[in-house]
Amino acid sequence: MLITRFKKKFPGKKLSRIGTGGDILYYAMVPSLIFLRNVIKFSHDQKLPFYILGAGSNVLLSDERVNGIVLKLGGIFKAISFSNDLSHVSAGGGTSLIKLGNLLAEHGNLGYSYMAVIPGSVGGAIAMNAGTTNEGEIKDHFVTAQVFDPLTEKINEYGNGEMNFSNRSSSLLKTTNIVLQASFRLSPVEKRNKELAIQKIKELRSSRQAKQPKNPKTFGSTFKNPKGQKTAGWYLEKVGMKGMRIGGAMVAPEHANWIVNEGNATSNDVKSLIEIGKNRVYEEFGIRLQREVIFFPEDIEERV
Ligand SMILES: Cc1cc2nc3c(=O)[nH]c(=O)nc-3n(C[C@H](O)[C@H](O)[C@H](O)COP(=O)(O)OP(=O)(O)OC[C@H]3O[C@@H](n4cnc5c(N)ncnc54)[C@H](O)[C@@H]3O)c2cc1C
């Protein structure tokens, strides 16, 4: 019975890295395509909405009960394989991006160090077009993805040009489609260098550790960097956000664009800080900061 594999009234805070949020009516880890198809049928029959979550690194779960089914990809969706000529790698949507980045470095690929430092899954990274300012982003290497459309229950293949990749965004953020698997282009074989690739990751990791807050309960950047020279963090610092607290949430003293959970924060505490920061920056500089963090499921309910 499918429903016996669901966890009922699952604490949502266990699914988001910042560790806030209310209960989820049904939560399931999806091991196979058959299971996924059955869950989607069940959600249609029961008229329950469903939502796909990756590693929960970039989401703020609602404090209200999520009256639907939340899915994460596991099982076969965590597999990694290389093409015979080693020119491409294929990874399941539930694969850890850090694991993939480290593996590519082991194979000597250069230019993929960003993957080895960004927490999350391959599916979430594609949806967000994850990347770092100077090291690259998903759209630089993404070739194609197998994407399940729950409305038609078909699997479609999308190439890079169909993903509308932009600043920490893609067309996936406008649909309920699910990335099952994706392939990425690799470095030309003659340019590979394992020692250098591993060294690049170490350097990137240590430069990030020096700048980023130590508290792991966060979703990283709250807002996207606006166009222009100044970062979102610069504006937020100028309007006095660093160190501001509401309830158990605090704007990190080390980085004004990061919010951390000091232990007992609610998502509403975090939302209040986001609202204050956004309003202050607009009042002071006339700049409308765009959120990078996904409000879950509110932002997803707006999708078609
Ligand atoms: C400490 C820290 C540092 C970070 N640094 C960076 C950084 O340098 N650069 C950067 O870009 N981001 C960074 N982030 C943000 C986050 O790591 C990325 O956005 C990451 O790609 C999110 O992946 P996820 O699997 O956790 O997605 P989630 O947070 O679980 O979900 C994000 C979105 O992706 C969708 N999604 C998830 N899986 C799938 C799928 N299989 N198919 C379709 N849609 C899917 C979800 O529905 C949701 O809308 C950081 C976060 C933290 C906590």
Side-chain angles (χ1 to χ4, degrees):
M1 268 288 279
L2 180 72
I3 199 149
T4 60
R5 300 196 64 171
F6 287 170
K7 293 194 168 136
K8 205 168 178 200
K9 295 188 191 155
F10 192 81
K13 57 177 66 170
K14 288 195 177 166
L15 296 177
S16 75
R17 182 160 164 148
I18 192 165
T20 60
D23 285 353
I24 287 163
L25 182 58
Y26 293 122
Y27 162 65
M29 181 68 93
V30 178
S32 64
L33 185 57
I34 291 177
F35 186 93
L36 178 62
R37 287 192 185 281
N38 286 335
V39 175
I40 299 301
K41 279 203 177 69
F42 174 84
S43 88
H44 290 160
D45 291 349
Q46 301 293 314
K47 300 196 172 23
L48 284 171
F50 68 88
Y51 309 99
I52 182 79
L53 198 59
S57 325
N58 206 37
V59 289
L60 184 69
L61 259 83
S62 164
D63 286 331
E64 309 301 317
R65 150 113 26 110
V66 176
N67 266 315
I69 308 170
V70 172
L71 303 173
K72 277 179 79 155
L73 298 179
I76 61 157
F77 302 111
K78 288 188 164 193
I80 301 177
S81 63
F82 289 90
S83 62
N84 287 340
D85 64 359
L86 296 178
S87 63
H88 291 81
V89 66
S90 200
T95 310
S96 151
L97 191 70
I98 290 181
K99 183 177 174 193
L100 180 63
N102 284 325
L103 183 67
L104 297 188
E106 286 290 328
H107 284 246
N109 291 280
L110 291 165
Y112 301 76
S113 53
Y114 70 95
M115 290 187 180
V117 297
I118 298 176
S121 65
V122 163
I126 294 171
M128 298 304 304
N129 185 27
T132 58
T133 312
N134 299 316
E135 309 296 324
E137 56 188 4
I138 289 291
K139 84 165 166 43
D140 302 338
H141 301 114
F142 174 94
V143 178
T144 173
Q146 268 79 51
V147 179
F148 181 74
D149 179 345
L151 301 178
T152 61
E153 298 183 24
K154 288 202 170 116
I155 297 174
N156 300 308
E157 182 154 312
Y158 292 112
N160 195 310
E162 293 160 293
M163 299 298 289
N164 283 326
F165 287 124
S166 60
N167 183 14
R168 303 296 162 256
S169 178
S170 76
S171 53
L172 286 171
L173 293 184
K174 295 193 171 62
T175 72
T176 52
N177 288 352
I178 300 172
V179 173
L180 303 179
Q181 195 186 35
S183 78
F184 300 93
R185 180 176 44 79
L186 298 180
S187 307
V189 175
E190 63 282 5
K191 293 201 173 148
R192 293 188 192 173
N193 183 330
K194 179 174 164 181
E195 287 69 36
L196 187 57
I198 292 173
Q199 184 56 30
K200 291 263 178 209
I201 292 176
K202 282 189 185 147
E203 284 168 13
L204 184 56
R205 200 177 287 140
S206 62
S207 81
R208 282 165 67 94
Q209 278 166 356
K211 282 183 262 168
Q212 292 181 347
K214 303 285 171 279
N215 186 337
K217 290 190 164 195
T218 175
F219 38 68
S221 296
T222 307
F223 295 101
K224 300 176 185 186
N225 285 328
K227 288 205 174 87
Q229 299 292 310
K230 308 274 193 281
T231 63
W234 184 90
Y235 288 109
L236 291 160
E237 185 174 345
K238 286 286 169 214
V239 297
M241 293 304 292
K242 264 190 175 176
M244 183 184 285
R245 285 168 200 266
I246 291 186
M250 176 172 68
V251 177
E254 305 95 328
H255 197 312
N257 197 21
W258 284 42
I259 294 174
V260 294
N261 176 0
E262 294 218 280
N264 59 349
T266 64
S267 292
N268 284 334
D269 295 339
V270 177
K271 282 181 181 172
S272 301
L273 285 174
I274 292 176
E275 208 50 30
I276 294 171
K278 192 174 83 177
N279 290 341
R280 284 192 181 180
V281 169
Y282 183 65
E283 279 157 22
E284 186 78 19
F285 295 101
I287 294 214
R288 288 188 200 277
L289 292 178
Q290 302 288 316
R291 250 194 301 120
E292 179 175 320
V293 59
I294 308 280
F295 287 177
F296 193 98
E298 301 94 304
D299 288 344
I300 294 173
E301 278 162 357
E302 288 164 16
R303 299 176 188 177
V304 287

